[in-house]
Amino acid sequence: MTLTVETYGTLAEANAARRGDSRYLAGGTLVMRDLNYAVPGLSRVLRVSNPPRAIRQQGERLSMDAGVTMADVIESREAAFLAPVARSVGGPAVRNMATVGGNLFAAHPYGDFTAALLALDGEVQFVDGRTQPMEAFLAERDRAPLVASITMRMPRTGEFRFRKVARVKPKGVSVMSIAAWLPGAPMRVSQVRIAFGAMGPTPLRARAAEQVLEGKVLDASGIERALSVATQGLAPVDDALASAWYRNEVAPVHLRRLLLDEEPEP
Ligand SMILES: Cc1cc2nc3c(=O)[nH]c(=O)nc-3n(C[C@H](O)[C@H](O)[C@H](O)COP(=O)(O)OP(=O)(O)OC[C@H]3O[C@@H](n4cnc5c(N)ncnc54)[C@H](O)[C@@H]3O)c2cc1C
C-alpha cells in the first residue's frame, strides 16, 4: 500500500488535514510500529516540522506542550517531580523520541506518564482551544482532536509519589504503575488523587481508596481501609505480563508501599 507523509507548519494545519486514513506522528515510537506492521487503513502520516516543546510554570500549575519528550522532562527543573516517571518510560532511545502527547493515546499496558497526569489533576488543551479534564478525555480519547498541551498541579515537596511495577528492570513494561498526589502528606491528607496505569483500558483513578483516605494520616492504621478498597473501579485485563487476577491481588501491596513511602524494590 502507498504511504503518504505530509508535513505541516502548525498543529492546527495538521489537525485540519486529518481523515480516517491518517495518523498524526509525534515521536513515532508507536506509530512507526503500526507502519512497520502495515496496520490496515493507515495510508497517510501527518507531522509538524517543529512542534512546540515548552514546559512552563503557571502559578500552582505546570503546562507542557504535547511535543515535550520524556528526555525533555528529565532535564527540566520545573518538572523535576516528574523525572522519575519519565525515566520509567522505555530505554534512553525511546525517551528521546516519546512525547507526552503520544503517551496520552498509548494503549494498555503503556501510559505510565498519563497515570501521573491523571493523579496530578491534569487538563488537556486541544488545538481548537477547547480544554477537557484528563479523566473525561481518557474516556473518549479516540474521538479527540490533536492535543496542543497539558496542564497539571505542581505538588509541594513530598506530595507526589510514583511507583512502576515491572518484571524487567529498569525499563520493562508495566505490570502496573501507581501515581498519587497526596496533599498534606505525610501528616493528614486531603483531596488525595490516586491513579493506576495498566489496570484498565486507560489509566484509572482509585476513587474508593481516595475517599476513605480523606483526613487520614499515612500510617499503617490510617491506610488500612484504603487498601481494602484499592481495586474498586479498576478493570485490569489478562496480558502476557500478568493476569487480571494477579494484578488485583498485588495492587494493594504496591499501594501500601507507596502510601507508606517505602523504598521501591531495586
Ligand atoms: C520499546 C518501547 C518501550 C516502551 N516503553 C514504554 C513505557 O515503559 N511506558 C509507556 O508509557 N510507554 C512506553 N512505550 C510506548 C511509547 O513509547 C510511549 O507511550 C510514548 O509516550 C508515545 O509517544 P510518541 O510521541 O512516540 O507517540 P506516537 O507513536 O507518535 O503516537 C502515538 C499515538 O498518539 C497520537 N498522538 C501523538 N501526539 C498527539 C497529539 N499531540 N494529539 C493527538 N494525538 C497524538 C498519534 O496519532 C498516535 O495515535 C514504549 C514503546 C516502545 C517502542
Side-chain angles (χ1 to χ4, degrees):
M1 190 201 284
T2 313
L3 177 74
T4 314
V5 179
E6 300 170 20
T7 302
Y8 294 90
T10 65
L11 268 179
E13 288 165 8
N15 192 53
R18 286 172 100 200
R19 294 192 314 243
D21 62 348
S22 58
R23 290 275 285 288
Y24 176 68
L25 178 104
T29 57
L30 294 173
V31 172
M32 288 309 295
R33 188 188 279 183
D34 287 352
L35 291 174
N36 290 338
Y37 283 104
V39 167
L42 175 54
S43 58
R44 289 169 72 227
V45 167
L46 316 177
R47 58 182 292 276
V48 170
S49 43
N50 274 312
R53 281 169 60 175
I55 300 177
R56 294 168 293 263
Q57 187 173 349
Q58 298 173 339
E60 292 192 321
R61 292 186 74 85
L62 189 72
S63 161
M64 266 182 206
D65 289 326
V68 164
T69 65
M70 298 300 149
D72 293 335
V73 172
I74 292 165
E75 282 176 13
S76 160
R77 202 159 38 128
E78 290 86 354
F81 59 97
L82 284 169
V85 187
R87 243 183 243 116
S88 82
V89 174
V94 168
R95 293 196 287 269
N96 278 337
M97 302 300 292
T99 64
V100 172
N103 203 268
L104 294 174
F105 295 87
H108 169 93
Y110 295 143
D112 299 314
F113 201 85
T114 302
L117 296 176
L118 181 58
L120 289 166
D121 192 20
E123 186 178 77
V124 174
Q125 285 80 46
F126 297 109
V127 71
D128 60 11
R130 286 187 306 120
T131 62
Q132 196 172 32
M134 186 63 65
E135 210 165 1
F137 163 79
L138 288 172
E140 51 186 50
R141 64 182 171 184
D142 294 345
R143 285 171 278 145
L146 290 185
V147 172
S149 60
I150 301 103
T151 67
M152 73 213 75
R153 285 294 293 248
M154 284 194 72
R156 292 179 215 278
T157 306
E159 285 184 353
F160 175 70
R161 296 180 193 166
F162 175 80
R163 300 284 188 283
K164 175 165 167 173
V165 183
R167 296 198 188 277
V168 179
K169 292 171 184 170
K171 56 177 186 175
V173 175
S174 276
V175 170
M176 75 186 59
S177 52
I178 316 177
W181 180 36
L182 305 164
M187 305 312 288
R188 277 184 204 289
V189 291
S190 181
Q191 300 192 314
V192 164
R193 289 175 68 104
I194 300 171
F196 277 84
M199 290 292 281
T202 68
L204 293 170
R205 279 175 73 184
R207 284 185 175 275
E210 292 175 358
Q211 279 163 16
V212 297
L213 280 173
E214 184 65 30
K216 298 286 191 312
V217 174
L218 295 184
D219 59 19
S221 66
I223 68 169
E224 205 176 329
R225 276 196 65 214
L227 301 185
S228 68
V229 296
T231 56
Q232 273 183 29
L234 305 181
V237 294
D238 298 337
D239 65 16
L241 297 163
S243 65
W245 176 86
Y246 175 81
R247 285 185 157 100
N248 274 326
E249 287 295 304
V250 300
V253 176
H254 293 292
L255 181 61
R256 177 177 187 281
R257 290 179 183 159
L258 176 139
L259 291 174
L260 296 181
D261 206 15
E262 292 174 358
E263 281 298 310
E265 287 175 351

